[in-house]
Amino acid sequence: MTVMYEEALQRYEPVFGIETHVELGTRTKMFCGCITTFGAEPNSQTCPVCLGLPGSLPVVNRLAIEYTIKIGLALNCTIASWCRFARKNYFYPDMPKNFQISQYDEPLCTDGYLDVLVGGKTVRVGIERVHLEEDTGKSLHIGGATGRIHGAEYSLVDYNRAGIPLVEIVTKPVPGTGFLAPEVARAYVTELRDVLRALDVSDVRMEEGSLRCDVNTSLSARGSGEWGTRTETKNVNSLRSVERAVRSEISRQAAVLDTGARVIQETRHFHEDTGVTTSGRSKEEAQDYRYFPEPDLVPVAPAEPWVKSIAASLPELPAARRARLIESWSLSDLEFEALRNVGALDVVEATVAAGASPADARKWWLGELARRANDAGVEVSALPITPAAVARVAALVAAGSLNDRLARQVIEGVLDGEGEPDEVVAARGLAVVSDDSALLSAIDEAIAANPDVTARIRDGKVQAAGVLVGAVMKATRGKADAARVHELIMERLSS
Ligand SMILES: [Zn+2]
């Protein structure tokens, strides 16, 4: 039983929060020297440390600390001058030590924020903490239809992922976004992914699990001033699912509250296929984990000069880039969002760098190329055409050598592997007919074939010239410059 989303938000105010786990892109694991490459033969990247064998001792990966400080600085956090790892005790078959080395009350980074742009408005999402821990292994359930444990004949465990450095980024609760809550949640994860990508600390592939989100949602009666009980939706593994998970929980919780019942604090699972969540386990409290400081590791105390040198090495971050591009390309916030949402920022920037005007670069990537990418089911940046080729096509149009229709055929040729734009123009014979004498004979034929249209134009009905332009374009198989044809027709008929 759910209620309609719009209806739910007339009575209730949503608050959401997001915990994001990011696998860092270090070459080796968090506490041992095992390689971290994705997709290797199961259990081929393990050693006594990450298998939790007795007597083995962990050693901290310095680069993982550096990456975490980078993330903290990019998210405007305070970096701890001294902190410790903690043992989080729980049993899971894919966690060989039966505890996870994590951070508890002494996270490396605290109290930051990330500004996100939604529908032309900036929303500030507070960051509670950024801490470092180790990933678990992976259970594989064999023999069932769904890959879940229910119905499986047996299970296998792959420890290749066990011990990969994992950063957890936790937002503060985000209130006050109302109807926009699902979109703000999605925009936050998008912006965070872009920040992590700019920092080059993770490959942030949601489909491979290197970026995973748990989404907390609660509702309270409008104007009550209280916060409701939250649920935690686990492993929401695409940007679209982040939005859908918040939306689905708002509708479900509203239905529960409408009956006078209470929302149960619990973990819920999001189902990609149906877009709804179902109940998981009741949520553990922190005390259930019996945290204590990890006795096998020394404290982490990043020296101030080191943190300063990391801060000085940060690249241009998405917010700064956004401000720069909006300014230099004269865009509105909404136009910028359109480019970002299509994933075309990098290619448009490269096309401008290759000589195209920002307007032309946007036009081709957001129009013809976005359409073709959509048809092919790929990102625009994955199309087999370079920004330099798109800039060349734009230059040929600007010079009058191609019209838009021919330019689209050139792009088609490049995408089909026929070569660079100039090669496609030559091979397909696509240049605009710029020789007036060649056009004039086609114009004369069009005039002769359409005496009634000609008479109307001579009577002052100049719009009728479109018929003649169309006839000439057809006769030249689209290779004429329509504006020039129109000019020549009017000259011909006024003499
Ligand atoms: Zn290892």
Side-chain angles (χ1 to χ4, degrees), residues 65-95:
I65 301 282
E66 183 177 322
Y67 281 4
T68 307
I69 292 174
K70 266 190 182 178
I71 295 169
L73 290 169
L75 298 177
N76 308 289
C77 290
T78 303
I79 309 301
S81 56
W82 191 94
C83 66
R84 284 178 297 186
F85 284 96
R87 277 193 190 179
K88 182 179 185 179
N89 295 282
Y90 65 103
F91 174 79
Y92 244 53
D94 55 14
M95 201 174 61

PDB file of all heavy atoms in Angstrom, residues 65-95:
ATOM      1  N   ILE A  65      45.412   6.928   2.982  1.00  0.00           N
ATOM      2  CA  ILE A  65      45.241   8.068   3.902  1.00  0.00           C
ATOM      3  C   ILE A  65      45.268   9.376   3.104  1.00  0.00           C
ATOM      4  O   ILE A  65      44.429  10.257   3.283  1.00  0.00           O
ATOM      5  CB  ILE A  65      46.380   8.087   4.964  1.00  0.00           C
ATOM      6  CG1 ILE A  65      46.388   6.795   5.775  1.00  0.00           C
ATOM      7  CG2 ILE A  65      46.255   9.326   5.853  1.00  0.00           C
ATOM      8  CD1 ILE A  65      45.346   6.694   6.842  1.00  0.00           C
ATOM      9  N   GLU A  66      46.220   9.470   2.181  1.00  0.00           N
ATOM     10  CA  GLU A  66      46.348  10.695   1.381  1.00  0.00           C
ATOM     11  C   GLU A  66      45.072  10.931   0.560  1.00  0.00           C
ATOM     12  O   GLU A  66      44.555  12.048   0.492  1.00  0.00           O
ATOM     13  CB  GLU A  66      47.567  10.567   0.459  1.00  0.00           C
ATOM     14  CG  GLU A  66      47.826  11.823  -0.353  1.00  0.00           C
ATOM     15  CD  GLU A  66      49.087  11.721  -1.206  1.00  0.00           C
ATOM     16  OE1 GLU A  66      50.085  11.144  -0.728  1.00  0.00           O
ATOM     17  OE2 GLU A  66      49.059  12.217  -2.346  1.00  0.00           O
ATOM     18  N   TYR A  67      44.561   9.865  -0.066  1.00  0.00           N
ATOM     19  CA  TYR A  67      43.331   9.995  -0.863  1.00  0.00           C
ATOM     20  C   TYR A  67      42.156  10.456   0.012  1.00  0.00           C
ATOM     21  O   TYR A  67      41.336  11.264  -0.400  1.00  0.00           O
ATOM     22  CB  TYR A  67      42.977   8.657  -1.517  1.00  0.00           C
ATOM     23  CG  TYR A  67      43.764   8.320  -2.768  1.00  0.00           C
ATOM     24  CD1 TYR A  67      44.792   9.148  -3.225  1.00  0.00           C
ATOM     25  CD2 TYR A  67      43.466   7.177  -3.506  1.00  0.00           C
ATOM     26  CE1 TYR A  67      45.508   8.827  -4.372  1.00  0.00           C
ATOM     27  CE2 TYR A  67      44.167   6.853  -4.661  1.00  0.00           C
ATOM     28  CZ  TYR A  67      45.187   7.684  -5.090  1.00  0.00           C
ATOM     29  OH  TYR A  67      45.885   7.362  -6.226  1.00  0.00           O
ATOM     30  N   THR A  68      42.071   9.902   1.225  1.00  0.00           N
ATOM     31  CA  THR A  68      40.960  10.256   2.114  1.00  0.00           C
ATOM     32  C   THR A  68      41.064  11.722   2.535  1.00  0.00           C
ATOM     33  O   THR A  68      40.059  12.437   2.596  1.00  0.00           O
ATOM     34  CB  THR A  68      40.946   9.329   3.342  1.00  0.00           C
ATOM     35  OG1 THR A  68      40.953   7.976   2.884  1.00  0.00           O
ATOM     36  CG2 THR A  68      39.706   9.558   4.198  1.00  0.00           C
ATOM     37  N   ILE A  69      42.302  12.180   2.799  1.00  0.00           N
ATOM     38  CA  ILE A  69      42.492  13.601   3.140  1.00  0.00           C
ATOM     39  C   ILE A  69      42.085  14.470   1.945  1.00  0.00           C
ATOM     40  O   ILE A  69      41.423  15.500   2.095  1.00  0.00           O
ATOM     41  CB  ILE A  69      43.961  13.865   3.556  1.00  0.00           C
ATOM     42  CG1 ILE A  69      44.246  13.155   4.886  1.00  0.00           C
ATOM     43  CG2 ILE A  69      44.240  15.358   3.665  1.00  0.00           C
ATOM     44  CD1 ILE A  69      45.695  13.208   5.330  1.00  0.00           C
ATOM     45  N   LYS A  70      42.451  14.037   0.744  1.00  0.00           N
ATOM     46  CA  LYS A  70      42.043  14.772  -0.465  1.00  0.00           C
ATOM     47  C   LYS A  70      40.532  14.925  -0.530  1.00  0.00           C
ATOM     48  O   LYS A  70      39.999  16.003  -0.810  1.00  0.00           O
ATOM     49  CB  LYS A  70      42.475  13.993  -1.721  1.00  0.00           C
ATOM     50  CG  LYS A  70      43.793  14.400  -2.290  1.00  0.00           C
ATOM     51  CD  LYS A  70      43.979  13.735  -3.655  1.00  0.00           C
ATOM     52  CE  LYS A  70      45.347  14.110  -4.195  1.00  0.00           C
ATOM     53  NZ  LYS A  70      45.637  13.477  -5.469  1.00  0.00           N
ATOM     54  N   ILE A  71      39.829  13.796  -0.295  1.00  0.00           N
ATOM     55  CA  ILE A  71      38.362  13.819  -0.350  1.00  0.00           C
ATOM     56  C   ILE A  71      37.827  14.769   0.716  1.00  0.00           C
ATOM     57  O   ILE A  71      36.956  15.601   0.446  1.00  0.00           O
ATOM     58  CB  ILE A  71      37.793  12.396  -0.152  1.00  0.00           C
ATOM     59  CG1 ILE A  71      38.199  11.490  -1.322  1.00  0.00           C
ATOM     60  CG2 ILE A  71      36.270  12.436  -0.017  1.00  0.00           C
ATOM     61  CD1 ILE A  71      37.911  10.011  -1.100  1.00  0.00           C
ATOM     62  N   GLY A  72      38.377  14.671   1.938  1.00  0.00           N
ATOM     63  CA  GLY A  72      37.938  15.545   3.031  1.00  0.00           C
ATOM     64  C   GLY A  72      38.134  17.014   2.690  1.00  0.00           C
ATOM     65  O   GLY A  72      37.246  17.835   2.915  1.00  0.00           O
ATOM     66  N   LEU A  73      39.287  17.346   2.123  1.00  0.00           N
ATOM     67  CA  LEU A  73      39.553  18.745   1.780  1.00  0.00           C
ATOM     68  C   LEU A  73      38.603  19.215   0.677  1.00  0.00           C
ATOM     69  O   LEU A  73      38.077  20.325   0.724  1.00  0.00           O
ATOM     70  CB  LEU A  73      41.013  18.909   1.321  1.00  0.00           C
ATOM     71  CG  LEU A  73      42.074  18.741   2.419  1.00  0.00           C
ATOM     72  CD1 LEU A  73      43.472  18.656   1.803  1.00  0.00           C
ATOM     73  CD2 LEU A  73      41.999  19.883   3.429  1.00  0.00           C
ATOM     74  N   ALA A  74      38.354  18.346  -0.323  1.00  0.00           N
ATOM     75  CA  ALA A  74      37.460  18.722  -1.425  1.00  0.00           C
ATOM     76  C   ALA A  74      36.035  18.917  -0.922  1.00  0.00           C
ATOM     77  O   ALA A  74      35.253  19.652  -1.534  1.00  0.00           O
ATOM     78  CB  ALA A  74      37.498  17.650  -2.516  1.00  0.00           C
ATOM     79  N   LEU A  75      35.686  18.255   0.187  1.00  0.00           N
ATOM     80  CA  LEU A  75      34.342  18.386   0.753  1.00  0.00           C
ATOM     81  C   LEU A  75      34.328  19.392   1.905  1.00  0.00           C
ATOM     82  O   LEU A  75      33.400  19.401   2.722  1.00  0.00           O
ATOM     83  CB  LEU A  75      33.828  17.022   1.222  1.00  0.00           C
ATOM     84  CG  LEU A  75      33.673  15.966   0.120  1.00  0.00           C
ATOM     85  CD1 LEU A  75      33.230  14.631   0.700  1.00  0.00           C
ATOM     86  CD2 LEU A  75      32.681  16.420  -0.943  1.00  0.00           C
ATOM     87  N   ASN A  76      35.339  20.246   1.953  1.00  0.00           N
ATOM     88  CA  ASN A  76      35.386  21.356   2.922  1.00  0.00           C
ATOM     89  C   ASN A  76      35.372  20.887   4.375  1.00  0.00           C
ATOM     90  O   ASN A  76      34.800  21.543   5.244  1.00  0.00           O
ATOM     91  CB  ASN A  76      34.218  22.321   2.678  1.00  0.00           C
ATOM     92  CG  ASN A  76      34.149  22.770   1.227  1.00  0.00           C
ATOM     93  OD1 ASN A  76      34.991  23.530   0.780  1.00  0.00           O
ATOM     94  ND2 ASN A  76      33.163  22.274   0.481  1.00  0.00           N
ATOM     95  N   CYS A  77      35.984  19.718   4.640  1.00  0.00           N
ATOM     96  CA  CYS A  77      35.988  19.151   5.998  1.00  0.00           C
ATOM     97  C   CYS A  77      37.212  19.626   6.789  1.00  0.00           C
ATOM     98  O   CYS A  77      38.197  20.091   6.223  1.00  0.00           O
ATOM     99  CB  CYS A  77      36.060  17.621   5.933  1.00  0.00           C
ATOM    100  SG  CYS A  77      34.563  16.838   5.320  1.00  0.00           S
ATOM    101  N   THR A  78      37.120  19.450   8.099  1.00  0.00           N
ATOM    102  CA  THR A  78      38.281  19.606   8.977  1.00  0.00           C
ATOM    103  C   THR A  78      39.025  18.271   9.000  1.00  0.00           C
ATOM    104  O   THR A  78      38.405  17.210   9.142  1.00  0.00           O
ATOM    105  CB  THR A  78      37.797  19.922  10.412  1.00  0.00           C
ATOM    106  OG1 THR A  78      36.980  21.091  10.342  1.00  0.00           O
ATOM    107  CG2 THR A  78      38.973  20.153  11.340  1.00  0.00           C
ATOM    108  N   ILE A  79      40.350  18.311   8.841  1.00  0.00           N
ATOM    109  CA  ILE A  79      41.147  17.080   8.852  1.00  0.00           C
ATOM    110  C   ILE A  79      41.706  16.881  10.270  1.00  0.00           C
ATOM    111  O   ILE A  79      42.338  17.788  10.818  1.00  0.00           O
ATOM    112  CB  ILE A  79      42.323  17.173   7.846  1.00  0.00           C
ATOM    113  CG1 ILE A  79      41.816  17.624   6.458  1.00  0.00           C
ATOM    114  CG2 ILE A  79      43.079  15.848   7.770  1.00  0.00           C
ATOM    115  CD1 ILE A  79      40.775  16.734   5.829  1.00  0.00           C
ATOM    116  N   ALA A  80      41.454  15.700  10.842  1.00  0.00           N
ATOM    117  CA  ALA A  80      41.921  15.431  12.207  1.00  0.00           C
ATOM    118  C   ALA A  80      43.441  15.439  12.252  1.00  0.00           C
ATOM    119  O   ALA A  80      44.102  14.924  11.341  1.00  0.00           O
ATOM    120  CB  ALA A  80      41.399  14.075  12.674  1.00  0.00           C
ATOM    121  N   SER A  81      44.009  16.002  13.297  1.00  0.00           N
ATOM    122  CA  SER A  81      45.468  15.982  13.415  1.00  0.00           C
ATOM    123  C   SER A  81      45.920  14.659  14.054  1.00  0.00           C
ATOM    124  O   SER A  81      47.092  14.317  14.029  1.00  0.00           O
ATOM    125  CB  SER A  81      45.959  17.169  14.239  1.00  0.00           C
ATOM    126  OG  SER A  81      45.314  17.155  15.493  1.00  0.00           O
ATOM    127  N   TRP A  82      44.977  13.927  14.617  1.00  0.00           N
ATOM    128  CA  TRP A  82      45.290  12.663  15.302  1.00  0.00           C
ATOM    129  C   TRP A  82      44.005  11.834  15.353  1.00  0.00           C
ATOM    130  O   TRP A  82      42.962  12.333  15.773  1.00  0.00           O
ATOM    131  CB  TRP A  82      45.769  12.973  16.720  1.00  0.00           C
ATOM    132  CG  TRP A  82      46.381  11.823  17.475  1.00  0.00           C
ATOM    133  CD1 TRP A  82      47.701  11.514  17.544  1.00  0.00           C
ATOM    134  CD2 TRP A  82      45.698  10.860  18.298  1.00  0.00           C
ATOM    135  NE1 TRP A  82      47.887  10.416  18.353  1.00  0.00           N
ATOM    136  CE2 TRP A  82      46.677   9.988  18.829  1.00  0.00           C
ATOM    137  CE3 TRP A  82      44.354  10.627  18.628  1.00  0.00           C
ATOM    138  CZ2 TRP A  82      46.372   8.929  19.676  1.00  0.00           C
ATOM    139  CZ3 TRP A  82      44.052   9.560  19.464  1.00  0.00           C
ATOM    140  CH2 TRP A  82      45.052   8.728  19.984  1.00  0.00           C
ATOM    141  N   CYS A  83      44.026  10.620  14.897  1.00  0.00           N
ATOM    142  CA  CYS A  83      42.830   9.772  15.005  1.00  0.00           C
ATOM    143  C   CYS A  83      43.242   8.306  14.964  1.00  0.00           C
ATOM    144  O   CYS A  83      44.388   7.979  14.650  1.00  0.00           O
ATOM    145  CB  CYS A  83      41.830  10.093  13.894  1.00  0.00           C
ATOM    146  SG  CYS A  83      42.402   9.706  12.239  1.00  0.00           S
ATOM    147  N   ARG A  84      42.295   7.443  15.306  1.00  0.00           N
ATOM    148  CA  ARG A  84      42.614   6.018  15.353  1.00  0.00           C
ATOM    149  C   ARG A  84      41.611   5.192  14.545  1.00  0.00           C
ATOM    150  O   ARG A  84      40.470   5.608  14.347  1.00  0.00           O
ATOM    151  CB  ARG A  84      42.575   5.520  16.803  1.00  0.00           C
ATOM    152  CG  ARG A  84      43.782   5.924  17.603  1.00  0.00           C
ATOM    153  CD  ARG A  84      43.677   5.468  19.032  1.00  0.00           C
ATOM    154  NE  ARG A  84      42.543   6.079  19.726  1.00  0.00           N
ATOM    155  CZ  ARG A  84      42.305   5.930  21.021  1.00  0.00           C
ATOM    156  NH1 ARG A  84      43.095   5.194  21.766  1.00  0.00           N
ATOM    157  NH2 ARG A  84      41.265   6.518  21.577  1.00  0.00           N
ATOM    158  N   PHE A  85      42.070   4.030  14.147  1.00  0.00           N
ATOM    159  CA  PHE A  85      41.159   3.037  13.593  1.00  0.00           C
ATOM    160  C   PHE A  85      40.462   2.312  14.737  1.00  0.00           C
ATOM    161  O   PHE A  85      40.962   2.317  15.875  1.00  0.00           O
ATOM    162  CB  PHE A  85      41.915   2.034  12.718  1.00  0.00           C
ATOM    163  CG  PHE A  85      42.289   2.605  11.373  1.00  0.00           C
ATOM    164  CD1 PHE A  85      43.538   3.160  11.149  1.00  0.00           C
ATOM    165  CD2 PHE A  85      41.365   2.611  10.337  1.00  0.00           C
ATOM    166  CE1 PHE A  85      43.870   3.700   9.912  1.00  0.00           C
ATOM    167  CE2 PHE A  85      41.687   3.147   9.101  1.00  0.00           C
ATOM    168  CZ  PHE A  85      42.940   3.698   8.889  1.00  0.00           C
ATOM    169  N   ALA A  86      39.308   1.707  14.431  1.00  0.00           N
ATOM    170  CA  ALA A  86      38.563   0.978  15.456  1.00  0.00           C
ATOM    171  C   ALA A  86      38.122  -0.368  14.894  1.00  0.00           C
ATOM    172  O   ALA A  86      37.989  -0.536  13.686  1.00  0.00           O
ATOM    173  CB  ALA A  86      37.335   1.790  15.866  1.00  0.00           C
ATOM    174  N   ARG A  87      37.936  -1.320  15.788  1.00  0.00           N
ATOM    175  CA  ARG A  87      37.391  -2.619  15.368  1.00  0.00           C
ATOM    176  C   ARG A  87      35.881  -2.579  15.454  1.00  0.00           C
ATOM    177  O   ARG A  87      35.316  -2.236  16.497  1.00  0.00           O
ATOM    178  CB  ARG A  87      37.910  -3.733  16.276  1.00  0.00           C
ATOM    179  CG  ARG A  87      39.247  -4.210  15.855  1.00  0.00           C
ATOM    180  CD  ARG A  87      39.612  -5.500  16.548  1.00  0.00           C
ATOM    181  NE  ARG A  87      41.021  -5.769  16.267  1.00  0.00           N
ATOM    182  CZ  ARG A  87      41.698  -6.802  16.721  1.00  0.00           C
ATOM    183  NH1 ARG A  87      41.082  -7.683  17.504  1.00  0.00           N
ATOM    184  NH2 ARG A  87      42.955  -6.975  16.406  1.00  0.00           N
ATOM    185  N   LYS A  88      35.230  -2.969  14.368  1.00  0.00           N
ATOM    186  CA  LYS A  88      33.773  -3.073  14.342  1.00  0.00           C
ATOM    187  C   LYS A  88      33.491  -4.567  14.305  1.00  0.00           C
ATOM    188  O   LYS A  88      33.805  -5.244  13.319  1.00  0.00           O
ATOM    189  CB  LYS A  88      33.252  -2.375  13.075  1.00  0.00           C
ATOM    190  CG  LYS A  88      31.756  -2.357  12.935  1.00  0.00           C
ATOM    191  CD  LYS A  88      31.365  -1.609  11.638  1.00  0.00           C
ATOM    192  CE  LYS A  88      29.876  -1.468  11.518  1.00  0.00           C
ATOM    193  NZ  LYS A  88      29.495  -0.737  10.287  1.00  0.00           N
ATOM    194  N   ASN A  89      32.926  -5.085  15.405  1.00  0.00           N
ATOM    195  CA  ASN A  89      32.794  -6.533  15.540  1.00  0.00           C
ATOM    196  C   ASN A  89      31.445  -7.028  15.041  1.00  0.00           C
ATOM    197  O   ASN A  89      30.408  -6.650  15.563  1.00  0.00           O
ATOM    198  CB  ASN A  89      32.949  -6.913  17.018  1.00  0.00           C
ATOM    199  CG  ASN A  89      34.350  -6.606  17.521  1.00  0.00           C
ATOM    200  OD1 ASN A  89      35.290  -7.346  17.254  1.00  0.00           O
ATOM    201  ND2 ASN A  89      34.492  -5.489  18.221  1.00  0.00           N
ATOM    202  N   TYR A  90      31.476  -7.849  14.027  1.00  0.00           N
ATOM    203  CA  TYR A  90      30.271  -8.560  13.602  1.00  0.00           C
ATOM    204  C   TYR A  90      30.699  -9.736  12.741  1.00  0.00           C
ATOM    205  O   TYR A  90      31.807  -9.760  12.224  1.00  0.00           O
ATOM    206  CB  TYR A  90      29.264  -7.653  12.896  1.00  0.00           C
ATOM    207  CG  TYR A  90      29.677  -7.039  11.574  1.00  0.00           C
ATOM    208  CD1 TYR A  90      29.199  -7.560  10.373  1.00  0.00           C
ATOM    209  CD2 TYR A  90      30.501  -5.918  11.529  1.00  0.00           C
ATOM    210  CE1 TYR A  90      29.546  -6.976   9.161  1.00  0.00           C
ATOM    211  CE2 TYR A  90      30.854  -5.335  10.325  1.00  0.00           C
ATOM    212  CZ  TYR A  90      30.381  -5.864   9.144  1.00  0.00           C
ATOM    213  OH  TYR A  90      30.728  -5.298   7.962  1.00  0.00           O
ATOM    214  N   PHE A  91      29.811 -10.700  12.614  1.00  0.00           N
ATOM    215  CA  PHE A  91      30.155 -11.899  11.846  1.00  0.00           C
ATOM    216  C   PHE A  91      29.481 -11.878  10.488  1.00  0.00           C
ATOM    217  O   PHE A  91      28.276 -11.684  10.383  1.00  0.00           O
ATOM    218  CB  PHE A  91      29.730 -13.170  12.591  1.00  0.00           C
ATOM    219  CG  PHE A  91      29.936 -14.387  11.752  1.00  0.00           C
ATOM    220  CD1 PHE A  91      31.206 -14.929  11.625  1.00  0.00           C
ATOM    221  CD2 PHE A  91      28.892 -14.945  11.040  1.00  0.00           C
ATOM    222  CE1 PHE A  91      31.410 -16.027  10.803  1.00  0.00           C
ATOM    223  CE2 PHE A  91      29.094 -16.053  10.215  1.00  0.00           C
ATOM    224  CZ  PHE A  91      30.360 -16.589  10.110  1.00  0.00           C
ATOM    225  N   TYR A  92      30.257 -12.074   9.466  1.00  0.00           N
ATOM    226  CA  TYR A  92      29.737 -12.225   8.114  1.00  0.00           C
ATOM    227  C   TYR A  92      30.673 -13.186   7.401  1.00  0.00           C
ATOM    228  O   TYR A  92      31.890 -13.089   7.579  1.00  0.00           O
ATOM    229  CB  TYR A  92      29.750 -10.862   7.392  1.00  0.00           C
ATOM    230  CG  TYR A  92      28.388 -10.359   7.019  1.00  0.00           C
ATOM    231  CD1 TYR A  92      27.384 -10.263   7.982  1.00  0.00           C
ATOM    232  CD2 TYR A  92      28.097  -9.983   5.705  1.00  0.00           C
ATOM    233  CE1 TYR A  92      26.131  -9.793   7.645  1.00  0.00           C
ATOM    234  CE2 TYR A  92      26.845  -9.515   5.374  1.00  0.00           C
ATOM    235  CZ  TYR A  92      25.869  -9.420   6.343  1.00  0.00           C
ATOM    236  OH  TYR A  92      24.630  -8.961   6.013  1.00  0.00           O
ATOM    237  N   PRO A  93      30.160 -14.135   6.628  1.00  0.00           N
ATOM    238  CA  PRO A  93      31.052 -15.110   5.994  1.00  0.00           C
ATOM    239  C   PRO A  93      32.089 -14.456   5.076  1.00  0.00           C
ATOM    240  O   PRO A  93      33.173 -15.003   4.890  1.00  0.00           O
ATOM    241  CB  PRO A  93      30.107 -15.994   5.170  1.00  0.00           C
ATOM    242  CG  PRO A  93      28.741 -15.689   5.643  1.00  0.00           C
ATOM    243  CD  PRO A  93      28.749 -14.376   6.341  1.00  0.00           C
ATOM    244  N   ASP A  94      31.740 -13.271   4.516  1.00  0.00           N
ATOM    245  CA  ASP A  94      32.690 -12.656   3.586  1.00  0.00           C
ATOM    246  C   ASP A  94      33.695 -11.741   4.293  1.00  0.00           C
ATOM    247  O   ASP A  94      34.433 -11.018   3.666  1.00  0.00           O
ATOM    248  CB  ASP A  94      31.951 -11.913   2.458  1.00  0.00           C
ATOM    249  CG  ASP A  94      30.966 -10.881   2.970  1.00  0.00           C
ATOM    250  OD1 ASP A  94      31.035 -10.535   4.165  1.00  0.00           O
ATOM    251  OD2 ASP A  94      30.122 -10.433   2.172  1.00  0.00           O
ATOM    252  N   MET A  95      33.694 -11.805   5.657  1.00  0.00           N
ATOM    253  CA  MET A  95      34.637 -10.973   6.403  1.00  0.00           C
ATOM    254  C   MET A  95      35.486 -11.875   7.280  1.00  0.00           C
ATOM    255  O   MET A  95      35.102 -12.249   8.388  1.00  0.00           O
ATOM    256  CB  MET A  95      33.854  -9.971   7.249  1.00  0.00           C
ATOM    257  CG  MET A  95      34.694  -8.779   7.628  1.00  0.00           C
ATOM    258  SD  MET A  95      33.692  -7.579   8.469  1.00  0.00           S
ATOM    259  CE  MET A  95      33.162  -8.527   9.872  1.00  0.00           C
TER     260      MET A  95
END
